[in-house]
Amino acid sequence: MSGMAFVVGGLMPYAAAALFLAGMVSRFRAWYKTPQPAKMTLFPAAEGGMWKDVLAETFFFPSLFKGDRVLWGFAWFFHATLAFVFVGHVRVFTGLADRAMLALGMSPETIDSLSAGAGGVAGIVLLATGVLLLVRRLGMTRVREISAFSDYFALLLLLAIIVTGDFMRFGGHFELADTRAWAFSLLTFSPEVPPKPMFLLHILFAQLLFMYIPFSKILHFGGIFFTHALIKRR
Amino acid sequence: MSQKETVVKSITALDNGPKVLKLYMEMCAKCGTCATQCPVYYGDESRKYNPPDRSDLIRRIFKKYCTISGKFLGPLVGAGDVDEAELQGWVDRFYSCTGCRRCATYCPFGIDNSVITRKGRAILDQLGLTPATMKKVIEVSLKTGNTDGASVEAFKAAISFLEEEMKDEHGIDIKIPVDVEGAEYLYVPPSGDVLVNPEATTGIAKIFHVLGMGDKWTMSSLYFDGANYGLFTGNDADMKKENQNCVEITKKLKAKYLLMGECGHAYRVMKMMMEPGKWWGDLPFSIINCMEWTADLIHRNKLQFDKSKNTRAVTYHDPCNFARSCGIVEEPRAILKATCMDYRDMYPCGAENWCCGGGAGLSAMDSLHDFRMKVSGTKKVEQIRETGAKYVAAACANCKRQIIQLNEYHKTGWDVGGVHDMLSRSIWIDGKAANRKEYEA
Ligand code: SF4
Ligand code: SF4
């Protein structure tokens, strides 16, 4: 195993996980602790409906839907597919999902082709919506003029992960067994890293993303609970 | 302290709250949705009116001093330091947001740029840069208890004038009690509803008369204006001082109900800020709004009207502070539908209404007249025009002033007034409505 591969696939995962967890916990704690003296309720706010509204906002973006339907289309499919792909990766890393599906009576071949099909579609949807979001940011004055480098960087990093992921999925660089072995080796603290460049690039970018999240605007995926809870509280 | 130090101190303090501001500093995704929903940006798509661009004046400095990425990466993540030469320019920037909170309604994260605007104004206030008009209004209001600076005598004269008017209209004595200790209700309108467009106040007086409660309410000669410009300049101390006056007077008069008039921000400060924030502990009275009160009476069939007194098409402009910040949407409509023949809604309306363009105190600033007419008020003019209405009811003295000026500037031919104005013209007293000059055009 080359030294570089070991760093990316054998050491960095621990650092990334630690930094991500510590970063997020400290952000959540800070938000939770910070006092809010005045009521900020924004109507319509249903009596007792706060958490229902917060969850609706988290999963379906209704405010954005009312505000900018085109952006809603890009953003919702982008985020929903990201979530879907995240779940898909749980299957890639562990046998848990497989065991559940086997128990439902599917054959291993069906599961593989289902996963390849769904994963492939997701990879394309992500690429398309991600590029659309980037084009939108560059092309619309009102968005471009408020964007800093970090706003492009977040999107470019995601796109790098998506592109390398798509290469693996469509370019035949993907070995389920190897990946699972790698994930398991990490859990047992005896990392065995598959020496595949595309795979290594993919996990490199993904880990950079996780380390970056707590310190960037991408933490909106946790902050959304807090901001909406404040204005939806009656 | 240098200007820079003042600014930095005020912004770094946000790291410890309030929670809204801390979150808003860290969270904006720069998605550009709010711009499409902002009345100011709608009127002029200049960068300086793009809501997050304005908010970034503060956010930039917060990032620089309070975030790890900002400390190390600076401009790459949109962080930057205070530029003292730029501070004077902040006045125009922060006084070109109407505080309408419409951005928050459509932002996927509910980011309320008006809160950041208010913070920006608070910093300007600390630097002594608050526009003179606003400072003046606050001074006058703290001294006289009303934003017009009217004396007790002037107020009493206005009240007897209103009593005479009502005598002309109905041929009987309908009183407006002043400074009566032990009255159940203390009515606090905006001063404009006594001095400029007083029909809302006669409307309230007539309701009490019809209910046989003519002696159960009062106004205060020391506090007949709920307006609170501390909300607009961002100065919390001023805001509380003014508010305290009202609370003290209500306590002194031993009123059970503080009946707030047609003034959106006054009610918001009372109901959404002072009461839940327990600024003065538990209150010996409840805070209600005249529109809820009247709508409830109509609902319970306590009042009757002669709609033929109001035949023209009427529309209602939802003051942002009432609709979005206090949820008062159905009540004014219930009153207008009960008192007018032809009521029409704008689109969109209620909590999604577009601001008149004069919110957050801008309406009172003559220096912003052109901006309000040509930029921030653009959408409102279009919206009202589309309804074809001839009378625009707005439950807010600042909205009224703005819409009256829009009407003059754009020659739209509307009459502008309050909600209870229409009630005053049509309410039945002893079986008939007011008999006075013809309102119909
Ligand atoms: S809509 Fe919200 S997240 Fe988007 S740019 Fe405006 S304030 Fe930022
Ligand atoms: S509060 Fe209103 S005027 Fe101010 S930025 Fe938001 S939408 Fe625009």
Side-chain angles (χ1 to χ4, degrees):
Chain A
M1 201 184 328
S2 82
M4 208 47 207
F6 186 74
V7 170
V8 170
L11 295 179
M12 201 176 161
Y14 300 113
L19 202 58
F20 175 75
L21 282 176
M24 283 322 267
V25 168
S26 85
R27 292 312 270 269
F28 275 55
R29 264 198 47 183
W31 288 335
Y32 185 77
K33 276 194 342 213
T34 319
Q36 176 55 39
K39 256 192 181 177
M40 297 308 302
T41 318
L42 192 67
F43 288 87
E47 196 91 57
M50 179 179 97
W51 286 110
K52 213 178 79 211
D53 287 353
V54 173
L55 288 179
E57 288 289 348
T58 309
F59 289 111
F60 302 110
F61 316 170
S63 292
L64 180 58
F65 184 76
K66 281 185 295 175
D68 183 339
R69 216 146 284 188
V70 177
L71 174 58
W72 180 87
F74 298 170
W76 192 80
F77 280 98
F78 185 71
H79 286 87
T81 315
L82 269 182
F84 177 78
V85 165
F86 187 82
V87 174
H89 278 67
V90 175
R91 190 240 158 195
V92 170
F93 291 141
T94 74
L96 285 178
D98 289 36
R99 254 172 267 151
M101 284 189 276
L102 284 172
L104 287 175
M106 291 190 210
S107 71
E109 293 76 33
T110 330
I111 300 174
D112 276 344
S113 62
L114 254 182
S115 145
V121 172
I124 292 172
V125 172
L126 275 182
L127 186 61
T129 47
V131 168
L132 283 170
L133 286 171
L134 188 62
V135 169
R136 181 181 176 277
R137 191 170 287 287
L138 285 164
M140 302 186 92
T141 317
R142 70 162 194 276
V143 193
R144 190 179 54 239
E145 69 192 12
I146 55 173
S147 301
F149 172 76
S150 51
D151 298 303
Y152 296 103
F153 180 71
L155 206 44
L156 288 173
L157 191 52
L158 273 157
L159 279 170
I161 301 169
I162 294 164
V163 168
T164 49
D166 279 349
F167 263 113
M168 288 205 297
R169 171 62 69 193
F170 299 115
H173 303 283
F174 176 64
E175 275 303 337
L176 186 63
D178 283 359
T179 320
R180 282 190 186 163
W182 170 68
F184 189 75
S185 76
L186 283 177
L187 279 183
T188 52
F189 296 100
S190 48
E192 289 292 336
V193 188
K196 302 215 165 152
M198 201 50 80
F199 168 78
L200 287 172
L201 265 182
H202 184 66
I203 60 169
L204 171 69
F205 290 136
Q207 296 177 104
L208 284 176
L209 178 75
F210 274 96
M211 295 197 283
Y212 183 56
I213 286 176
F215 309 98
S216 72
K217 70 163 191 179
I218 312 178
L219 60 92
H220 64 237
F221 90 86
I224 189 169
F225 292 104
F226 290 85
T227 49
H228 276 293
L230 279 171
I231 59 168
K232 302 255 149 69
R233 182 186 61 177
R234 184 129 187 195
Chain B
M1 230 193 298
S2 74
Q3 285 195 319
K4 178 176 168 177
E5 282 163 354
T6 309
V7 176
V8 171
K9 189 164 168 240
S10 179
I11 293 179
T12 47
L14 297 180
D15 211 15
N16 300 314
K19 196 191 297 232
V20 263
L21 271 162
K22 185 173 162 65
L23 280 160
Y24 295 170
M25 289 298 111
E26 298 175 357
M27 279 256 310
C28 173
K30 302 291 165 68
C31 71
T33 307
C34 47
T36 64
Q37 303 298 338
C38 167
V40 179
Y41 194 78
Y42 180 90
D44 179 349
E45 296 187 353
S46 294
R47 177 168 177 177
K48 61 175 188 255
Y49 298 141
N50 199 335
D53 197 68
R54 182 189 301 109
S55 296
D56 272 353
L57 295 175
I58 308 276
R59 194 180 277 124
R60 203 177 65 206
I61 298 165
F62 180 88
K63 282 188 173 167
K64 165 97 189 157
Y65 288 92
C66 301
T67 68
I68 296 173
S69 54
K71 268 177 212 156
F72 292 109
L73 301 172
L76 288 179
V77 295
D81 212 336
V82 184
D83 176 1
E84 289 198 358
E86 197 192 69
L87 293 174
Q88 185 61 45
W90 279 23
V91 179
D92 282 344
R93 299 296 302 276
F94 288 119
Y95 281 86
S96 62
C97 160
T98 71
C100 70
R101 306 185 80 198
R102 203 166 190 274
C103 43
T105 298
Y106 298 92
C107 168
F109 311 111
I111 293 177
D112 183 347
N113 288 285
S114 82
V115 180
I116 305 174
T117 293
R118 186 167 186 272
K119 178 70 195 177
R121 294 186 183 186
I123 294 172
L124 290 172
D125 202 61
Q126 282 174 293
L127 296 172
L129 292 174
T130 297
T133 336
M134 303 302 268
K135 267 259 110 53
K136 184 103 194 119
V137 173
I138 294 206
E139 266 165 38
V140 163
S141 170
L142 284 173
K143 207 160 94 205
T144 62
N146 69 89
T147 48
D148 286 299
S151 64
V152 172
E153 293 72 39
F155 168 74
K156 287 187 173 156
I159 292 297
S160 18
F161 170 74
L162 294 187
E163 288 176 337
E164 277 163 36
E165 287 278 292
M166 289 192 284
K167 176 125 190 171
D168 285 350
E169 290 178 357
H170 294 275
I172 53 168
D173 283 328
I174 300 171
K175 288 285 162 211
I176 299 182
V178 173
D179 298 332
V180 178
E181 216 181 284
E184 226 174 291
Y185 293 82
L186 170 63
Y187 169 61
V188 177
S191 56
D193 284 9
V194 181
L195 306 170
V196 190
N197 307 294
E199 281 184 88
T201 295
T202 57
I204 297 288
K206 291 179 192 181
I207 298 176
F208 276 114
H209 177 87
V210 169
L211 296 175
M213 293 167 67
D215 55 350
K216 295 224 162 34
W217 72 295
T218 186
M219 290 185 71
S220 162
S221 62
L222 299 175
Y223 202 93
F224 57 92
D225 186 4
N228 191 331
Y229 276 52
L231 177 69
F232 301 148
T233 59
N235 186 320
D236 286 338
D238 285 346
M239 177 164 81
K240 290 191 174 169
K241 225 183 292 166
E242 257 189 62
N243 183 270
Q244 188 175 24
N245 284 347
C246 180
V247 170
E248 291 302 322
I249 284 168
T250 316
K251 283 183 182 166
K252 211 170 128 245
L253 292 174
K254 303 193 178 67
K256 288 204 193 81
Y257 299 96
L258 174 58
L259 180 62
M260 301 292 294
E262 295 190 17
C263 175
H265 81 276
Y267 184 61
R268 178 178 170 202
V269 172
M270 289 288 172
K271 195 71 190 177
M272 305 305 286
M273 299 176 160
M274 180 272 279
E275 195 180 42
K278 292 202 187 292
W279 292 356
W280 323 113
D282 288 324
L283 302 170
F285 54 86
S286 3
I287 301 160
I288 55 175
N289 178 267
C290 67
M291 293 195 290
E292 291 175 298
W293 182 67
T294 306
D296 176 60
L297 292 169
I298 292 175
H299 184 68
R300 292 191 282 128
N301 286 320
K302 300 280 186 200
L303 309 171
Q304 280 170 307
F305 306 96
D306 178 359
K307 283 189 182 192
S308 73
K309 293 285 176 181
N310 296 320
T311 55
R312 286 177 306 170
V314 171
T315 189
Y316 175 65
H317 161 71
D318 284 278
C320 302
N321 278 313
F322 266 135
R324 256 189 292 283
S325 289
C326 299
I328 296 194
V329 169
E330 292 311 321
E331 295 84 348
R333 289 176 170 77
I335 301 170
L336 290 171
K337 284 176 185 162
T339 56
C340 307
M341 307 244 292
D342 182 359
Y343 175 76
R344 305 171 182 189
D345 263 329
M346 295 178 211
Y347 178 79
C349 62
E352 294 186 18
N353 79 316
W354 285 86
C355 174
C356 63
L362 303 193
S363 169
M365 295 173 68
D366 290 331
S367 55
L368 293 179
H369 181 267
D370 274 12
F371 165 80
R372 289 189 280 111
M373 297 302 111
K374 291 187 210 156
V375 180
S376 61
T378 314
K379 182 69 187 188
K380 195 82 254 171
V381 174
E382 290 171 15
Q383 263 197 306
I384 301 176
R385 275 201 174 123
E386 273 164 28
T387 65
K390 290 288 167 238
Y391 180 92
V392 184
C396 166
N398 282 347
C399 299
K400 271 181 230 167
R401 185 169 198 263
Q402 163 76 356
I403 299 173
I404 287 169
Q405 291 182 349
L406 284 173
N407 174 52
E408 284 160 6
Y409 186 88
H410 294 278
K411 308 204 175 9
T412 48
W414 309 319
D415 271 340
V416 182
V419 173
H420 283 81
D421 304 40
M422 297 321 252
L423 177 142
S424 180
R425 295 172 194 186
S426 59
I427 189 168
W428 263 14
I429 295 181
D430 303 330
K432 59 182 191 335
N435 175 24
R436 60 173 297 186
K437 74 174 198 267
E438 196 55 52
Y439 288 103
E440 309 305 320

